[in-house]
Amino acid sequence: MRRLLLLALLAATPALAGPPYLTDDPVPTELGHFETYAFTTGTDRRGDTGGEAGIEINYGAAKNLQLSIDLPLGYDAPRGGGATAGVADIGIGAKYLFLTQEDFGWDVSFYPSAEIPARSRAALGDGRPSYFLPVWAQKDWGDWSTFGGGGYNIHSGADARGYWFMGWALTRKLSDNLEIGAEIYHGTPDARDAKASTGLGAGAIWRLDDHYSLLASFGPGIQNAAETQRFEWYAALGYTF
């Protein structure tokens, strides 16, 4: 869910991504446990910089089932002035793992989610909901992991249109506390006058102890970058219990 969303600023908008990446993984939160992320994220493009800060909460509600909610504040800062800030769309989702590496060779999940407009005079966005319907897959071997997939976003804004988002990531565990990775992702145009976008990202997760971790990613756009994203970033403090 990362965000008014970054993909809306990318020319597409997913919901509930796998921190710190825009590409998600299929593995749900462990049964009976919580994963929380206090995050900030943003995208810079020609003419403005925008992003969000807030909290994402994931809960292992049942075996192979994760429920998620994203509660963000958003901002948009045009180059010529007139910056705005307010409550961003609320994200909700449910990730269900229906194939596992033990039985199938890959973990595979379906992760439908929605962006619900905030009922506030200070709210950002166009006031209309959107729905993201992705499938994600992952395979692990040794210290390496690869995951990705994508899906279709149903968006009903006045000038909006449905679009596809897809991405793939590769990560490596360097030690018990440090993991690094890279991803590539692509979004088709999400509005009549928008352009497709492709971006690269590099990320890291530093586990401070059994509960706390620091997460970050950064990357440039490589397709229509001036209009969609010159670069994007994400940083968060994670807490699991």
Side-chain angles (χ1 to χ4, degrees):
M1 223 157 41
R2 221 165 111 167
R3 340 10 67 183
L4 180 353
L5 267 171
L6 278 181
L7 284 194
L9 298 171
L10 276 177
T13 310
L16 303 166
Y21 305 101
L22 285 175
T23 305
D24 205 349
D25 69 76
V27 181
T29 302
E30 187 178 349
L31 175 63
H33 289 261
F34 285 88
E35 297 175 343
T36 65
Y37 302 96
F39 69 86
T40 180
T41 186
T43 298
D44 180 85
R45 59 182 180 179
R46 184 175 63 192
D48 75 334
T49 299
E52 294 185 352
I55 185 168
E56 178 178 334
I57 303 170
N58 302 319
Y59 175 62
K63 183 180 179 180
N64 297 331
L65 177 65
Q66 170 187 306
L67 301 180
S68 301
I69 186 168
D70 192 8
L71 304 170
L73 300 174
Y75 71 91
D76 185 53
R79 293 287 187 271
T84 57
V87 180
D89 293 348
I90 297 169
I92 57 174
K95 178 189 291 186
Y96 178 65
L97 181 71
F98 61 89
L99 293 174
T100 66
Q101 294 188 53
E102 291 78 6
D103 298 327
F104 180 69
W106 289 75
D107 291 322
V108 183
S109 70
F110 179 49
Y111 194 1
S113 58
E115 294 289 316
I116 308 300
R119 301 299 181 184
S120 168
R121 293 181 180 180
L124 298 181
D126 61 11
R128 302 191 184 188
S130 63
Y131 309 93
F132 188 45
L133 306 173
V135 173
W136 303 107
Q138 175 173 318
K139 188 174 183 63
D140 304 318
W141 68 100
D143 292 329
W144 294 87
S145 180
T146 187
F147 56 90
Y152 190 71
N153 190 297
I154 303 168
H155 192 34
S156 59
D159 296 320
R161 67 184 187 187
Y163 62 86
W164 292 91
F165 171 79
M166 56 215 77
W168 205 270
L170 178 68
T171 65
R172 188 176 190 275
K173 187 176 179 181
L174 298 182
S175 69
D176 289 340
N177 298 323
L178 180 62
E179 178 184 293
I180 62 172
E183 67 175 334
I184 183 170
Y185 48 85
H186 175 77
T188 61
D190 70 338
R192 293 184 181 90
D193 59 350
K195 295 183 178 181
S197 175
T198 303
L200 300 174
I205 301 174
W206 181 23
R207 294 177 178 83
L208 304 175
D209 57 29
D210 291 340
H211 299 285
Y212 288 96
S213 59
L214 296 175
L215 306 90
S217 67
F218 181 88
I222 58 175
Q223 179 189 17
N224 300 315
E227 296 86 354
T228 60
Q229 66 148 4
R230 293 191 293 191
F231 57 87
E232 64 85 16
W233 71 89
Y234 175 92
L237 173 65
Y239 178 62
T240 61
F241 61 97

